[in-house]
Amino acid sequence: MRILRFVAVTLSLSLCSSAGLASADDGAVALLPFQGAQAAKVRQNVQKGLAAADVDLVPLKRVTAVARNTKGYAERAAKLDAGTLVRTRVRRVEGRWVGDTEVRNAKGQRVEKFRSTSSSSTRLSNRIVAALMKSGRMPVASAAGAAAAAPRAEPETPAPIHPRLVVRPFTGAQAGKIRGAAVRGLRSEPVEFFPNKHFAAKAKSMGVNLKSNSGHVAPASALAVSGLIDGDVLYEDRVWSAYVRLIDGDSAKVISQHYYDASTSAALAKSVQARIGSDFRKDIRKLGVAVPGAAVAAPVAVAATTRGESTSSEKKEKDEPKPKAKKKRKGDRPAAVDIQIDFRVVHRKFGYEDDLRGDLRDYTLKAGPGVGVKFQYYPGAHFTAGVGAQFGIDFEWERLFKIDSTRADGATFPTESQQFLIGLRWRYPKGRWEPSVVLGYGVHRFSFGLSGPPVPGEDNTAGIPSVKYEFVRLGGGFRVAIGKNELFILAASVAFRGTFSVGGIGTNVWFPQAKANGMDALLMMGFALPKGFEIRLSGDYRRYGFDLNPVPPDPPYVAGGALDQYFGGALGVAWRR
């Protein structure tokens, strides 16, 4: 008897504890403060999504206050009268949003853990909501549950008032991104969007294969769908392209097709979004408004007839503001023109090596002011973002204002300096980066005049050779935009100057066998202004190394070599579009 009583008491306590546990877990859901980037925004969106699904929720303000003043999951659940606790850590990894979500019961024990990813924080919130609902641990309000349990009559598809379209899945790399851009681009047109998943479900219920020829005709007729949009995305020869088609709903006929290309997938998405509406507008109107052939239980999302409205089926894709169409057309392709005008200051230092006789003079110019112009032009960028847009013309010119150089004895000599470069440039835009290479021809001159008319017994020359470097230039560099809005620019370059003529220093008066080679380097920092203008501050360095090769037996001068260096700085304004 004692054994039977003990067993009975034990079973009673077990049942009571089980009942207590069940009642505790039936409490409301509390979203604890999320962690990471955009955590507060994601938490609010998840709260709204669960509320729309009639989940019993604890208000966010109350949860935040309790979480701030208490420690431990079980204690927080008790104070909030919550049966389920949810916490998510939000991160941004390689351009995608990642959310790691934990679900805990009233005792603080983790009962679910899952990861959600998406291209935007808004879509990430929606996926977290979907995963939470799928877990089966979200308590639904009793009234809503009763309503959900009651059978509902299937709504009929209303007759369209505008051409009804289905945007089918695109194929290829980044297909989802380009499809979303197409949807956003058509949003401002007078059309109605029918959700693709409901269109596919209708086709399945009718036993139709949408991949077959004319397989879409039957469900399109039943749903009054006037046309379908589909597309293929390609990445070939470093160019992103998309073929987008409009297909008649009553047949397999392709009404029209348009081609888009760009150097990056993001630029391609912008191009599609900016141009698809105007490209397909006339053909969509020709399709007209179809008449429903049968009723179907599927919601229809009506596209906004004004720019301020949006469709319910596309709100998940609305994660970035729509720029004006004109700006998008300019932004599809890399810049075609880059013009810079600047004020320059140059410091020159010329010196000899192994001056055995000691009869040669070194030369230093402390600061010579001047002006400069730089011009890059890519004609193909007006028409395409592909390979044809990456070849351009490179031109530079600079000149120092007329200055006087002073000899040790006080004599002055008019001094001039000028540089001219022209060549071909090839670039490879990759997001914010734009590396490039250049091949061209250049002339750099630095010359001295006479101090006055010739006077017997007096030297009216500067005693320093003039130079005129002619060279082939081969170099490379990069340009990168920095900051959230790409307001800051950093650029750098380096080039070799294969010199085949050195001017006056290579004549019989000085060193007839002189040989030289040179190089140049540049570092530029800029700040972007509206309308494509930029302010640029740069520093540059040029040098030419000589092998003077004095000619025996009686050369005019004797020296092993020389070094000619130029240190420059510039402040200018540029226009790049």
Side-chain angles (χ1 to χ4, degrees):
M1 291 297 293
R2 290 183 179 180
I3 294 175
L4 292 176
R5 289 177 182 176
F6 175 76
V7 171
V9 171
T10 302
L11 290 173
S12 299
L13 291 174
S14 300
L15 291 173
C16 291
S17 62
S18 299
L21 177 59
S23 61
D25 289 341
D26 288 340
V29 176
L31 300 185
L32 297 179
F34 287 11
Q35 299 174 332
Q38 298 289 325
K41 177 182 177 182
V42 173
R43 183 182 180 219
Q44 290 177 354
N45 289 339
V46 172
Q47 181 90 353
K48 292 178 182 178
L50 293 176
D54 293 322
V55 174
D56 190 9
L57 296 166
V58 181
L60 289 182
K61 289 184 178 180
R62 184 183 171 202
V63 176
T64 302
V66 170
R68 188 182 298 117
N69 299 320
T70 60
K71 294 183 179 180
Y73 293 105
E75 184 179 354
R76 291 172 180 173
K79 287 197 173 186
L80 293 169
D81 195 20
T84 306
L85 303 176
V86 177
R87 165 164 279 174
T88 298
R89 182 189 175 203
V90 183
R91 295 176 294 154
R92 187 168 175 81
V93 181
E94 296 181 353
R96 292 188 64 82
W97 291 91
V98 179
D100 293 310
T101 303
E102 291 184 350
V103 181
R104 296 179 180 269
N105 59 22
K107 293 183 177 181
Q109 300 168 335
R110 188 171 69 193
V111 293
E112 290 281 350
K113 184 179 181 180
F114 55 84
R115 172 171 290 181
S116 308
T117 64
S118 184
S119 58
S120 73
S121 60
T122 302
R123 295 176 187 172
L124 177 67
S125 306
N126 296 334
R127 293 189 177 184
I128 293 173
V129 171
L132 289 171
M133 296 303 298
K134 187 177 179 180
S135 70
R137 298 183 180 275
M138 299 295 103
V140 180
S142 58
R152 292 184 295 177
E154 295 184 349
E156 293 186 356
T157 304
I161 59 176
H162 296 294
R164 182 172 291 168
L165 300 179
V166 173
V167 183
R168 297 285 294 151
F170 286 18
T171 63
Q174 299 292 326
K177 177 191 289 187
I178 306 306
R179 179 183 181 272
V183 172
R184 291 191 294 273
L186 292 169
R187 183 176 294 150
S188 60
E189 301 299 318
V191 299
E192 293 182 5
F193 289 110
F194 192 89
N196 176 66
K197 65 179 181 179
H198 296 306
F199 183 78
K202 180 62 176 177
K204 184 177 180 180
S205 68
M206 300 175 72
V208 174
N209 182 7
L210 289 176
K211 294 183 179 180
S212 63
N213 189 27
S214 302
H216 66 274
V217 173
S221 176
L223 300 171
V225 171
S226 301
L228 293 84
I229 298 285
D230 72 0
D232 302 313
V233 184
L234 305 174
Y235 181 60
E236 298 176 337
D237 298 329
R238 304 181 186 278
V239 177
W240 288 88
S241 60
Y243 294 87
V244 183
R245 295 173 290 273
L246 174 64
I247 303 172
D248 188 1
D250 294 333
S251 67
K253 181 181 179 181
V254 176
I255 303 300
S256 62
Q257 175 175 276
H258 291 275
Y259 173 78
Y260 307 91
D261 66 345
S263 57
T264 66
S265 61
L268 178 62
K270 290 181 180 180
S271 177
V272 170
Q273 183 174 340
R275 296 163 51 190
I276 191 171
S278 58
D279 288 344
F280 286 97
R281 185 176 298 145
K282 292 183 180 179
D283 296 309
I284 292 174
R285 289 176 181 172
K286 291 179 183 179
L287 290 176
V289 180
V291 178
V296 60
V300 176
V302 182
T305 56
T306 62
R307 291 186 179 272
E309 300 175 359
S310 61
T311 67
S312 60
S313 66
E314 295 160 339
K315 287 182 179 178
K316 295 181 180 179
E317 300 179 17
K318 190 177 180 182
D319 55 281
E320 49 187 276
K322 286 185 7 179
K324 294 182 180 179
K326 289 184 178 179
K327 291 186 178 179
K328 286 185 177 180
R329 288 184 180 271
K330 291 289 185 181
D332 308 0
R333 306 183 177 101
V337 180
D338 190 317
I339 304 174
Q340 176 179 332
I341 300 175
D342 54 40
F343 173 77
R344 292 182 53 79
V345 176
V346 176
H347 169 75
R348 183 195 185 198
K349 187 175 181 180
F350 180 88
Y352 294 97
E353 298 175 359
D354 300 326
D355 179 9
L356 300 182
R357 297 177 182 174
D359 55 354
L360 294 169
R361 298 172 184 170
D362 295 341
Y363 174 79
T364 299
L365 172 65
K366 292 184 178 179
V371 294
V373 175
K374 295 182 179 181
F375 176 65
Q376 295 176 14
Y377 180 52
Y378 300 86
H382 292 295
F383 314 103
T384 179
V387 176
Q390 315 313 338
F391 291 92
I393 300 170
D394 192 79
F395 172 82
E396 291 186 28
W397 173 84
E398 70 172 50
R399 184 181 180 89
L400 298 187
F401 301 135
K402 287 187 177 182
I403 55 176
D404 288 334
S405 297
T406 305
R407 200 166 57 189
D409 59 4
T412 60
F413 305 88
T415 306
E416 294 183 358
S417 178
Q418 181 172 277
Q419 177 176 257
F420 165 81
L421 303 173
I422 189 168
L424 296 177
R425 182 177 291 271
W426 178 80
R427 62 184 176 182
Y428 179 59
K430 194 70 174 176
R432 297 187 176 194
W433 288 85
E434 186 179 290
S436 61
V437 294
V438 63
L439 174 65
Y441 164 79
V443 178
H444 184 196
R445 177 173 61 88
F446 199 103
S447 59
F448 301 93
L450 301 175
S451 61
V455 176
E458 293 186 7
D459 184 7
N460 66 342
T461 66
I464 303 167
S466 297
V467 293
K468 183 180 180 181
Y469 304 109
E470 295 184 62
F471 51 86
V472 174
R473 182 170 179 264
L474 174 63
F478 70 87
R479 170 191 168 96
V480 60
I482 303 172
K484 181 178 180 181
N485 297 317
E486 302 185 7
L487 292 178
F488 299 95
I489 303 101
L490 178 66
S493 67
V494 62
F496 169 74
R497 299 186 174 197
T499 306
F500 54 84
S501 177
V502 295
I505 194 173
T507 62
N508 290 330
V509 177
W510 293 96
F511 300 92
Q513 298 297 320
K515 304 293 182 183
N517 278 312
M519 59 83 64
D520 63 73
L522 175 139
L523 179 64
M524 184 274 288
M525 294 179 290
F527 181 77
L529 301 173
K531 305 296 184 181
F533 288 95
E534 297 177 2
I535 295 176
R536 296 177 180 175
L537 178 66
S538 62
D540 58 82
Y541 173 69
R542 302 166 200 164
R543 62 175 288 161
Y544 303 89
F546 282 88
D547 186 354
L548 296 177
N549 300 310
V551 180
D554 188 22
Y557 298 95
V558 177
L563 183 61
D564 192 6
Q565 302 180 87
Y566 300 81
F567 303 85
L571 176 63
V573 61
W575 183 71
R576 177 183 173 89
R577 290 298 290 270

